[in-house]
Amino acid sequence: MARRQPAIQLDGLESVLESLEDQPQAIRRASRAAINDQGRESKRELAEIISRDGISRAKAGGQIGLRRATNKQPVAVLAPTSRRIPFRYWKTTTRTTDSTGTRASVWIRKGGQLMRVWGFVNPKAKKRTILTRHRKAGEDRIQPAAGHSIKLHFQAAADDRFRKSVGESLSDKFIRRYNEQLKK
């Protein structure tokens, strides 16, 4: 079964757009512009919310894709990528997990709460590199950890309250653009 991708669709104007099918091209252009403006603004807001978890706003925004509304598809979609961002870009916290003090679990923030991530670190080492351990051909191997994706952070940030505020803002933008087109 295919997994559902976490995404936000900005399509609150479908019924309005259907009623505007017989309207001039300028009105449809205004609706597309309003949807795309709201998509850009929502992407910026989500990047700002995710950046509170300990990653730069630019890195977070670069991991959120925006498919813009077109003539055929009057819907804008925001979707996070599953690409991993190396741990050197995240603010991490460690907690010692063994009695020797040479192993510590790695934690990052997600929505204001700490979340344990894959990997471990030697807190007594000079260079506190986050590592992972696996077995290959019956042999234990240790290598640097790949990183962490923002997909879970995106899901936590795009809650019902955020979606509701996006819908309200989108309707306001559309009404403003519609009135501008009527004045022309």
Side-chain angles (χ1 to χ4, degrees):
M1 186 165 89
R3 292 184 359 195
R4 186 173 105 24
Q5 292 287 351
I8 297 176
Q9 277 193 333
L10 303 175
D11 58 358
L13 297 174
E14 283 183 352
S15 59
V16 175
L17 292 175
E18 289 172 6
S19 66
L20 294 176
E21 281 298 320
D22 57 339
Q23 292 291 327
Q25 179 65 28
I27 302 300
R28 284 181 277 176
R29 192 170 34 242
S31 64
R32 269 193 324 273
I35 290 171
N36 289 332
D37 285 349
Q38 184 59 45
R40 281 189 299 274
E41 188 176 304
S42 298
K43 178 179 175 177
R44 192 175 305 119
E45 287 176 26
L46 280 171
E48 191 69 38
I49 292 169
I50 292 170
S51 70
R52 294 182 202 143
D53 290 336
I55 190 164
S56 72
R57 190 182 60 76
K59 277 282 183 198
Q63 299 293 314
I64 300 172
L66 171 63
R67 277 196 316 242
R68 298 177 59 186
T70 62
N71 287 335
K72 293 180 181 179
Q73 290 288 327
V75 175
V77 178
L78 292 171
T81 63
S82 58
R83 192 174 8 177
R84 293 175 181 242
I85 302 170
F87 281 115
R88 68 177 176 265
Y89 296 109
W90 292 93
K91 288 183 184 170
T92 59
T93 305
T94 58
R95 292 186 182 165
T96 305
T97 56
D98 68 346
S99 60
T100 63
T102 59
R103 283 279 168 102
S105 57
V106 181
W107 299 71
I108 61 173
R109 295 190 90 58
K110 181 188 95 175
Q113 298 177 346
L114 286 176
M115 174 180 78
R116 187 175 180 179
V117 293
W118 183 256
F120 65 91
V121 68
N122 180 356
K124 293 185 176 180
K126 283 184 180 178
K127 190 175 182 183
R128 297 176 62 182
T129 306
I130 299 173
L131 305 167
T132 58
R133 190 182 89 177
H134 68 282
R135 289 182 72 85
K136 185 171 183 180
E139 193 178 312
D140 282 338
R141 295 186 180 191
I142 295 178
Q143 65 184 26
H148 183 69
S149 165
I150 66 160
K151 193 176 280 191
L152 292 173
H153 300 271
F154 181 90
Q155 290 173 338
D159 57 357
D160 292 334
R161 185 179 42 174
F162 179 78
R163 288 186 175 109
K164 184 178 179 184
S165 70
V166 166
E168 291 169 358
S169 180
L170 180 58
S171 62
D172 293 342
K173 284 183 191 312
F174 175 72
I175 290 169
R176 191 181 76 242
R177 293 261 186 176
Y178 185 77
N179 289 333
E180 287 174 7
Q181 289 297 323
L182 287 177
K183 289 178 184 176
K184 288 184 180 181

